[in-house]
């Protein structure tokens, strides 16, 4: 998932056509754009002596389109457009160039903030739209073949809800929660409906934790403003030796612990440590999901790839009962002895 906040660098200059039409018309009157695509136009601030950071990005999205799928447009359309535009520009000074992941994250955040003069209201719109798109009946789709993050996570989150519903779960921990969409989904009617097919009806205490304090603050502010009960967001590092004591106030160990699209962001050594800590926090069921990639995608900060053998090997390290299946990537489910749940056939 995306992490476009908490960056100490200046937010890239980004205009929304629906809000900044007067400024954009002024740009168009004075210079030709450096590059243009269906949803983005790039201008140089000083066309005669412009370097790669002296640009303005204009986007065509209206407020109703600002949701997690913005990441797909940035990854598949804006990043290649920026690379093409920068061929004619001076490169940033040594030590100041952003990585592909940093560029991706900064522009996702900048696009969200550009849609409203009030930053909190802009982020709340982003949350509202994304959670609506995660609803099982949603039919929203991105145009021009951009990656449909919402559809993928709509399926993934419904699968998580069903797996949580298989077992007794009064308290749940979502690790590396990012924007907190999974805890918010599980706490709302959408998640309850998805889990009800497997018998999940009682309200539970849900905690989302993340290493990024800015993301935690965004999620907690949205939860508090919208009055969503049963959810809390806290700062925690799953690689820290004291992560269990740091989460003690949240009620650990937890009946269910989820780590959805976390492990691909770690090194192999960090992965072993993370799984050990995840298992230590788990009182009943651990749910791990990873994407399948031929090569780790640097745009999203991915550092390693997985297959069935690697996931199952990690599961065996826990000593729990392991299940593996594939659905929008690979899944590892590990249950402690005595966990009441629906047992799938173990593969491998």
């Amino acid at each position: 998932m995306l992490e476009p906040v908490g960056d100490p660098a200046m937010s890239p200059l980004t205009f929304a056509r629906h809000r900044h039409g007067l400024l954009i018309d002024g740009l168009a009157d004075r210079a030709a754009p450096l590059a243009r695509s269906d949803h983005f136009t790039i201008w140089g601030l000083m066309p005669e002596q412009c370097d790669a950071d002296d640009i303005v990005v204009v986007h065509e999205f209206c407020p109703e389109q600002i949701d997690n799928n913005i990441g797909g447009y940035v990854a598949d359309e804006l990043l290649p457009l920026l690379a093409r535009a920068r061929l004619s520009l001076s490169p940033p000074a040594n030590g100041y160039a952003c990585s592909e992941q940093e560029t991706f994250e900064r522009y996702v955040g900048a696009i969200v903030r550009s849609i409203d003069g009030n930053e909190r209201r802009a982020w709340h719109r982003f949350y509202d739209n994304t959670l609506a798109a995660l609803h099982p009946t949603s039919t929203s789709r991105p145009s021009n073949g951009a990656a449909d993050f919402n559809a993928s996570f709509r399926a993934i989150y419904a699968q998580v809800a069903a797996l949580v519903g298989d077992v007794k779960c009064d308290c749940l921990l979502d690790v590396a929660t990012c924007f907190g969409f999974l805890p918010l989904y599980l706490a709302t009617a959408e998640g309850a409906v998805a889990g009800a097919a497997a018998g999940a009806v009682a309200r539970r205490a849900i905690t989302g934790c993340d290493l990024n304090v800015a993301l935690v603050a965004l999620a907690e502010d949205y939860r508090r403003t919208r009055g969503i009960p049963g959810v809390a967001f806290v700062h925690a590092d799953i690689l820290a030796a004291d992560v269990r004591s740091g989460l003690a106030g949240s009620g650990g160990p937890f009946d269910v612990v989820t780590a959805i699209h976390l492990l691909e962001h770690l090194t192999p050594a960090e992965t072993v440590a993370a799984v050990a800590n995840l298992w230590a926090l788990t009182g009943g069921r651990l749910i791990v999901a990873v994407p399948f990639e031929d090569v780790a995608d640097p745009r999203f900060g991915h550092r390693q790839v997985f297959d069935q053998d690697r996931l199952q090997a990690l599961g065996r390290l826990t000593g729990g009962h392991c299940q593996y299946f594939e659905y929008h990537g690979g899944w590892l489910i590990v249950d402690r002895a005595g966990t009441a749940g629906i047992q799938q056939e173990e593969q491998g």
Side-chain angles (χ1 to χ4, degrees), residues 119-143:
E119 183 171 342
R120 285 184 66 231
R121 194 163 55 212
W123 282 111
H124 290 175
R125 166 82 75 160
F126 172 74
Y127 272 84
D128 287 341
N129 290 348
T130 300
L131 290 170
L134 291 173
H135 191 283
T137 62
S138 173
T139 58
S140 64
R141 295 288 184 273
S143 60

Side-chain angles (χ1 to χ4, degrees), residues 221-247:
D221 180 62
Y222 179 80
R223 179 209 65 78
R224 185 173 57 252
T225 302
R226 293 291 184 262
I228 300 173
V231 186
F233 294 98
V234 298
H235 173 255
D237 181 1
I238 192 58
L239 297 176
D242 62 348
V243 64
R244 186 170 182 178
S245 61
L247 288 167

Side-chain angles (χ1 to χ4, degrees), residues 239 266-276 304 310 314:
L239 297 176
L266 308 177
T267 66
E270 289 171 339
T271 300
V272 173
V275 169
Q304 58 179 331
R310 282 204 66 199
L314 289 170

Side-chain angles (χ1 to χ4, degrees), residues 160 164 172-175 182 256-260 278 286-288:
V160 172
V164 172
L172 178 146
L173 174 68
D174 182 44
V175 177
L182 177 56
V256 174
V257 174
T258 59
I260 309 303
L278 289 167
L286 171 63
I287 302 172
V288 175

